[in-house]
Each structure stands twice: as structure tokens, then as C-alpha cells.
Amino acid sequence: MSRVTKFASRDAGPAARIVGFIAHLRENGLRLGVAEADLAMAALAEVEAIRPDDSRRALRAVCTGCKEEAERFDDLFNSYWMDMGRVRQKSVPSQSNPARDSIHSSRDAKGEDAAASGSSTAPDDTGGEAESDGTGKLIASEQCNLAQKDLRDLVRPEEIAQAEDVARRIGAALRDKRSRRRIAARKGDRLHFRKTIRQSLATGGEPLRLLRKNRPDRTRKIVALCDVSGSMTVYAQVFLAFLAGLMRADTAADAYLFHTRLVRITEALRDKDAMRAIGRMSLMADGFGGGSKIGPSLMRFAETYAKRFVDGRSVVMILSDGYDTEDPQMIAQALEKLKKRGCKVIWLNPLKGWKDYAPVAAGMAAALPHLDLFSAANTLGDLAGLEKELASL
């Protein structure tokens, strides 16, 4: 018996089947949408779609973007297209309850094909028997790839712990930043010619002892400011865990929250219990999830705390979407004051990881000329990828 899923005669056609397949992949953790469905149709038009192997290769190229997704694709492809003679009664998405849609989360999916309105394992009315009792669906097992998920979905304690691990590695990369200048050292990678020649004068010009020099470690001080206004609420919990990891990785680091005002939270973040630290900060930062005054908050930081905690070896890290209710020029003025202190300024924007994002917000556009690094921060993979970027600052 051919291992090819059959479709009922009332099925809407190939386009609906591809839409159902894309929805099936999306429910199993792959980040796909309308553009991928259209591209998948175009790819199938270029191959002999009747051949499963050709279709599999074409769809894999379109629907996967990393090694983990490519490894899972074959199981997902088989569960949808190669269901051993079973029939999908309908492949177009069904009309679902809006109330249920509003609380749906892909991380709680069990692998069912939510895009099929009928039973995907019903026996064929026109002949043939399924090689199963029909009591269960042939699906791929759920595999949660947290590195590729949007941080809005990372709210479980174990997921927050992973965010802290990423933060510790980034903190270590900044803390181990080495100086460009070399100084005398007992063990070094280069000869210190000046000191060797000077010391050889006492032995008649014979360099009996070779002195060396090395590049010493130069500590980078991390100063982090996290936006917890209403537009950043969905990211705030993971970002706070991210900052907690940074604070524990470097005892000289400093951290702040801002919304309509600025609050220093360094000591709370050093609490070993991440969930308890978040509770302490929610009590400290009255206005959490409220309005957004990025400009005034950054200006207050530049005029007060920065004079004590920011110098030429500091990295000021701002986590915000750039949406401000105040004059955007105040953001530019505040960043300009910070840059005069010789620090590096990096801005992590969770919206930058979205498709077709452009910094059209007035506040974000005003900040860009003053930044040393502008990067996405909507997934753990984005945060982990900052390690090399930050080490080069």
C-alpha cells in the first residue's frame, strides 16, 4: 500500500493542502506564515510534486531555517503527507472559537494538526484499509526549541533559567575583555624587548634572561537599563531574568528599570532566587507595565547615576522597543551625554527580530546615530549571538 495520504473529493485543492501543512509545521514549533506557504507552492511547481522525495526536498528548503528544524522536518512531513493510506477529510483551516484563539499558545501544542477540520485518520470511503486501528494520529513528537522561540512565550521557570544561562555567558564575555596594550608579565605570549635589553646591560649586553609581556584582562562594567512599560510587558519577565544573570556574573555591574521613571534594582537582581527577585522588583517599580518615558528616564540616568557608575570601560545596555511618549530629541541628548563619558552604548530591541521591521518610531530613529550596536533580542538565540558582538566592542 502506498504511503501517501489521500484527500476527500470535496477537498479545496493543492493550495489548501499546503496551507494545512504549513499550519501543521507551525503548531509543532516552526516559525512559518503566509509568505512561506506561497513560496512552498512556487517550489512545488518547479519539481515533480507527485514524487514524495522531490516534494520533501523542495519543502524542506523552504520551511526550515536551521539544523534543528531540518532534523525534525522528515517526521513532520511523514505525519502529514505519508499517513499510510489514510484520508484527510478537509485540509482548509476550520473556523475556531475566537475566545480560545486569544489564549492559544504554540508551546502547549501536543502535535495535532490544528488546521484540519476533519479527522486526519478516518478510513477511506472509496476503498482501502488503514494499517492501523485509527485510534491515534501519526504525528511527530513535540520538541521545544527554546532558542528559536519568541521571548513572549518563555514564561515558565525552566525557560527563565535558560535565559539566565545565556546572560551569564554574555556577562563573562564582557568581563574577560582584554586590553590592547601589553605589559610585563612572568608568562606572556611575546618578548618584552625593551626590558630584556635594559636588563642585559648588567651582564655585558648578553640577554641571559628573556622577559615577556602580555595583554592583561580589562574588566568591562555592565550597566543595563530595561524598559518595563506596557508595550514591553510580554518581554519583561525574561529580560529581568536576563539582567539577573548579568548581575550575578559581574559584581561590578549595575541595573535599572524604567517606565515613567527610573528605578535602580541592582541589589534585587543579585537575589539568587530569580522568581523572588522579580517579585521584589515589582514592588520597587511602581508603574510596571504602564506608560513609557524613555527620554526623561535616560536623561535622569545620564545626569545622576552615570556620573558614578559609567566611565570609559562601561557598556550601557538598553533593552527597549523605542516607543516613547515624550520628545524623541531628549533620547538623543541623553545618549550624547553618555557617549561623552567614553562608554559603549548598545540597544537591544525585541521588535528588530520581526520580519520587515524598520526603526520608524521617532524615539528609535533619534537613538540610532548614537549607538555602537543595534541588535534584535526577541529570542534566546539572538541573546546568545550577542556574545561575539559584545566581545569585539
Side-chain angles (χ1 to χ4, degrees):
M1 181 179 294
S2 175
R3 286 179 57 88
V4 176
T5 298
K6 299 179 182 179
F7 290 85
S9 59
R10 65 178 179 277
D11 185 77
R17 298 171 194 172
I18 291 297
V19 170
F21 179 58
I22 295 296
H24 172 63
L25 297 179
R26 186 165 54 247
E27 287 296 321
N28 280 274
L30 274 68
R31 301 174 63 184
L32 304 173
V34 177
E36 287 75 15
D38 181 65
L39 188 58
M41 286 293 297
L44 290 178
E46 300 296 328
V47 300
E48 294 187 32
I50 195 173
R51 295 185 177 180
D53 290 340
D54 292 349
S55 297
R56 184 193 303 269
R57 286 192 290 267
L59 292 175
R60 184 192 292 116
V62 172
C63 300
T64 61
C66 64
K67 179 181 178 181
E68 291 80 3
E69 293 178 355
E71 291 174 347
R72 298 182 55 206
F73 181 82
D74 286 340
D75 289 336
L76 296 172
F77 183 91
N78 290 338
S79 69
Y80 188 85
W81 297 107
M82 313 293 288
D83 207 7
M84 297 187 66
R86 297 174 181 175
V87 172
R88 291 187 183 275
Q89 294 181 356
K90 200 175 184 181
S91 59
V92 294
S94 60
Q95 295 294 330
S96 55
N97 188 348
R100 292 180 61 85
D101 289 346
S102 64
I103 60 174
H104 174 74
S105 176
S106 61
R107 68 174 179 274
D108 295 322
K110 301 302 180 185
E112 295 99 341
D113 180 12
S117 61
S119 173
S120 65
T121 57
D124 190 356
D125 295 335
T126 61
E129 295 181 358
E131 297 179 7
S132 176
D133 56 4
T135 59
K137 295 183 179 181
L138 182 62
I139 58 174
S141 61
E142 179 186 16
Q143 297 181 9
C144 186
N145 188 356
L146 296 180
Q148 302 300 325
K149 280 192 174 182
D150 195 290
L151 290 180
R152 292 174 296 178
D153 291 335
L154 304 184
V155 295
R156 296 174 179 173
E158 61 271 19
E159 296 170 341
I160 294 176
Q162 288 199 21
E164 289 183 317
D165 291 339
V166 174
R168 289 189 187 97
R169 288 194 286 120
I170 295 176
L174 285 173
R175 190 174 65 253
D176 294 339
K177 172 74 175 181
R178 294 191 301 168
S179 173
R180 294 182 180 179
R181 295 183 179 180
R182 298 177 182 272
I183 61 175
R186 293 183 62 185
K187 295 182 179 180
D189 59 348
R190 293 188 182 182
L191 291 176
H192 199 314
F193 290 106
R194 182 173 60 83
K195 284 186 174 291
T196 299
I197 293 174
R198 177 175 293 180
Q199 191 178 59
S200 70
L201 297 177
T203 57
E206 293 289 338
L208 300 180
R209 182 185 176 189
L210 298 179
L211 301 181
R212 297 185 175 274
K213 60 182 179 180
N214 200 2
R215 293 172 57 187
D217 290 341
R218 182 177 62 179
T219 303
R220 280 285 195 185
K221 295 192 295 184
I222 308 167
V223 181
L225 298 94
C226 182
D227 185 351
V228 293
S229 61
S231 60
M232 289 286 292
T233 301
V234 292
Y235 293 98
Q237 189 170 0
V238 175
F239 279 166
L240 292 178
F242 172 82
L243 296 184
L246 285 175
M247 296 305 104
R248 287 197 288 272
D250 189 352
T251 57
D254 202 25
Y256 303 81
L257 295 182
F258 66 90
H259 34 78
T260 56
R261 62 191 182 92
L262 184 72
V263 181
R264 188 169 183 262
I265 57 169
T266 303
E267 298 305 324
L269 282 175
R270 291 204 169 98
D271 195 316
K272 294 183 179 179
D273 188 331
M275 303 306 294
R276 185 173 60 192
I278 291 172
R280 290 175 60 183
M281 286 181 286
S282 64
L283 295 175
M284 294 170 58
D286 183 24
F288 190 102
S292 176
K293 294 185 177 180
I294 302 176
S297 297
L298 293 181
M299 183 61 73
R300 181 169 184 267
F301 172 76
E303 294 177 345
T304 55
Y305 296 107
K307 295 181 179 179
R308 177 182 176 186
F309 297 108
V310 177
D311 56 24
R313 294 185 178 180
S314 299
V315 175
V316 178
M317 181 184 300
I318 303 171
L319 299 98
S320 175
D321 55 10
Y323 289 115
D324 195 6
T325 59
E326 299 294 322
D327 184 2
Q329 291 303 316
M330 188 172 291
I331 296 179
Q333 294 171 5
L335 293 179
E336 188 176 354
K337 282 190 174 183
L338 288 176
K339 294 291 290 182
K340 288 181 179 179
R341 305 193 66 83
C343 65
K344 301 292 184 180
V345 180
I346 64 177
W347 194 300
L348 307 182
N349 190 329
L351 304 185
K352 192 175 186 295
W354 295 8
K355 185 177 181 180
D356 299 328
Y357 167 79
V360 295
M364 195 70 257
L368 284 177
H370 306 281
L371 303 180
D372 295 286
L373 177 65
F374 179 49
S375 180
N378 66 312
T379 68
L380 288 177
D382 292 334
L383 296 179
L386 290 172
E387 187 172 348
K388 293 181 180 179
E389 296 288 346
L390 297 178
S392 64
L393 289 178

